Amino acid sequence: MLEAPPASIAVIGAGVAGCALAARLRLGGFRGSLSLWESGRGPGGRTATRRSRQDPGLRFDHGAPLFNIAAATPLPLLEDLLAAGAVEPWQPQRALLTAQGTLHREDPADPFGQGELFRGRGGMEQLCRGLLELAEGGIGQHYGLMVRDLAVSDQGLWRLLDRQGEVLAEADWLVLASTLLAHPRSRLLMGWDTVPLKGVARSLADPDLDHALAALASIRSEARSNLLLVAEGEAARAWLACPFRLLRLDPGAEQRWRLSRLAIQPLDDGRVAVVAHSSAVFAAEHLSVYGSRSSIASQLNQSPSLEREAAVIEALSEAVAAALAPWLERGAVFGARRELMRWGAAVPLRPGLPAALSLCRQSRVGFCGDYVEGEGFGRVEGALRSGVQLADALLGALATPNPGPGLPLSGRSG
Ligand SMILES: Cc1cc2nc3c(=O)[nH]c(=O)nc-3n(C[C@H](O)[C@H](O)[C@H](O)COP(=O)(O)OP(=O)(O)OC[C@H]3O[C@@H](n4cnc5c(N)ncnc54)[C@H](O)[C@@H]3O)c2cc1C
């Protein structure tokens, strides 16, 4: 008897969750075709490092500047990442700013400061790159491609479609390592008339998938408008003289200055990159203002309004200068090169997707990301754990026959 061909898996999203899932599948012995689809220019998602072709020395960790492991349960893949030199332990100088302008060293309430702290070595993007390297080239990686729609073929395979309706890929299993194709925000954000996965789910009659879609639809997220600035010379030295590298603002300070965090990132050539994260309230008020280098804006064919962008940059600069007045001259802020980075869905809010719904076996759909309930929810830790957990569940499902009628396809193994 001929052996059934191994199953194929298409993963949408090369953030931490998608990359961890892909690495774990390969390390767990998955032999089928594994492809990764990402609209950004490389892996990373919200842990990406922004670089510039014109200015090779410049880099901003413009999303997560670090990650922490708060749970006592060991984090799978971390030892491999440390051994490969992709990530390293990190003890940055941290501080908490109060509304009265007082600085505290201790910050027990910081959700990103609990437990052990790590960063990508040479930039946060190394976390995802390192995960993909653990799979030793066994992943088909596709960047700069937005998966716009989903369908099921007559043979029962999942189809990924681009903006023109062209088929990008077909696979037995579909993994959404981001909520975009399953969440109503895609209609608002992208101007789409239907939520892609919801449109297909109607014809699949899989109760688990319907429950998962209902749970996903109710997940809300906070946005962030981040000010990125690069200082040189005297201004760079002024930033480096600040008594912190990472600053968090407590709720009172956040309300007063409309900022939530600030990360000072020294560059190898003596310059200093700074990322100031707005408060959620500020970002919500300026949600329609994208940065002029925003990939979402270009995918939507929206030309950014330079005037509105300049006004947001100005407001954030004023906030940074006011909050840091005891340590920094205004010139260190206003004399620096400045740009805006807007994260529309920066941090998911609870309740997230119940972990039990992250694998819908009948329709052969999996979900992973920081939006799945579990240890590390809303952080890098949660994204990584959910990718690993889904990979383990998939390996288990591939080793046993499909329980229900499902899509008209069977007889594939892992
Ligand atoms: C400003 C900011 C600061 C943060 N600070 C910290 C911190 O200090 N510590 C911490 O632990 N966490 C922090 N976080 C949260 C952390 O970054 C996230 O929890 C984590 O990176 C989420 O990873 P993910 O893989 O779940 O999702 P993402 O990183 O969002 O990855 C999803 C990927 O899918 C891609 N994608 C989506 N739809 C499509 C499509 N249709 N076609 C193709 N590609 C698609 C997206 O481009 C994206 O790259 C921060 C987040 C932000 C925004």
Side-chain angles (χ1 to χ4, degrees):
M1 203 175 104
L2 283 177
E3 202 188 322
S8 51
I9 303 177
V11 183
I12 302 176
V16 174
C19 294
L21 168 108
R24 182 71 164 205
L25 281 172
R26 280 295 183 230
L27 295 172
F30 175 69
R31 293 178 293 116
S33 144
L34 180 56
S35 62
L36 192 53
W37 299 86
E38 168 59 49
S39 59
R41 270 184 270 163
R46 280 172 277 155
T47 59
T49 301
R50 180 184 284 213
R51 292 182 186 272
S52 159
R53 276 196 204 102
Q54 291 76 37
D55 185 353
L58 184 61
R59 68 164 202 246
F60 290 103
D61 285 333
H62 60 174
L66 80 167
F67 66 101
N68 61 321
I69 309 303
T73 333
L75 185 71
L77 304 176
L78 180 63
E79 287 306 319
D80 303 297
L81 289 167
L82 286 165
V87 302
E88 59 189 5
W90 194 34
Q91 280 305 329
Q93 209 179 351
R94 290 185 293 143
L96 175 73
L97 182 64
T98 67
Q100 293 72 39
T102 325
L103 213 54
H104 292 272
R105 289 269 150 250
E106 298 301 317
D107 184 3
D110 181 3
F112 300 123
Q114 318 280 313
E116 289 181 90
L117 310 188
F118 300 88
R119 67 174 170 184
R121 182 178 272 174
M124 277 300 284
E125 66 189 356
Q126 293 308 324
L127 167 58
C128 283
R129 290 195 191 282
L131 284 167
L132 295 176
E133 275 167 26
L134 294 180
E136 294 183 345
I139 305 163
Q141 299 174 44
H142 308 269
Y143 298 108
L145 274 168
M146 161 74 73
V147 178
R148 162 66 186 84
D149 212 351
L150 299 167
V152 174
S153 74
D154 292 344
Q155 290 74 38
L157 294 170
W158 278 102
R159 267 193 178 154
L160 278 52
L161 306 167
D162 70 8
R163 251 184 292 181
Q164 286 73 39
E166 298 291 329
V167 179
L168 293 167
E170 288 189 337
D172 298 306
W173 289 80
L174 170 72
V175 172
L176 294 194
S178 154
T179 54
L180 185 67
L181 295 173
H183 195 280
R185 85 186 153 89
S186 61
R187 290 166 59 191
L188 202 66
L189 181 74
M190 311 300 284
W192 298 346
D193 46 1
T194 53
V195 179
L197 186 57
K198 213 169 166 197
V200 191
R202 283 193 200 103
S203 60
L204 297 179
D206 174 357
D208 282 349
L209 183 59
D210 292 339
H211 285 140
L213 281 166
L216 281 163
S218 62
I219 300 177
R220 290 179 306 115
S221 299
E222 282 182 354
R224 294 285 181 275
S225 299
N226 286 0
L227 175 69
L228 315 183
L229 59 88
V230 55
E232 46 190 290
E234 205 172 311
R237 286 189 286 281
W239 277 103
L240 290 177
C242 288
F244 43 79
R245 286 288 175 274
L246 289 180
L247 180 71
R248 193 172 81 90
L249 285 81
D250 79 2
E254 184 168 327
Q255 209 177 354
R256 177 172 174 194
W257 287 295
R258 313 185 88 204
L259 296 173
S260 57
R261 294 165 86 196
L262 190 128
I264 301 175
Q265 304 170 2
L267 301 174
D268 296 339
D269 58 11
R271 291 181 296 170
V272 175
V274 179
V275 182
H277 305 215
S278 79
S279 68
V281 175
F282 180 95
E285 286 168 10
H286 300 89
L287 211 51
S288 60
V289 186
Y290 302 89
S292 45
R293 289 186 53 204
S294 155
S295 58
I296 279 285
S298 63
Q299 278 155 20
L300 294 174
N301 289 330
Q302 287 201 3
S303 44
S305 154
L306 295 180
E307 217 170 283
R308 294 178 70 211
E309 184 183 351
V312 174
I313 289 176
E314 217 48 28
L316 288 171
S317 304
E318 282 294 349
V320 171
L324 300 195
W327 306 282
L328 213 61
E329 299 276 331
R330 280 174 70 82
V333 179
F334 287 93
R337 206 166 89 206
R338 291 166 289 152
E339 53 185 279
L340 177 69
M341 169 71 202
R342 189 216 69 149
W343 293 100
V347 188
L349 300 174
R350 289 199 134 117
L353 178 72
L357 291 174
S358 62
L359 185 63
C360 305
R361 287 189 61 171
Q362 187 182 316
S363 47
R364 297 197 308 271
V365 178
F367 299 97
C368 60
D370 66 343
Y371 62 91
V372 177
E373 282 293 342
E375 289 173 325
F377 178 87
R379 292 185 285 113
V380 168
E381 178 180 8
L384 207 152
R385 287 186 191 279
S386 89
V388 167
Q389 277 156 15
L390 180 62
D392 291 349
L394 270 166
L395 290 168
L398 289 165
T400 54
N402 197 325
L407 303 172
L409 182 87
S410 59
R412 306 232 172 177
S413 59

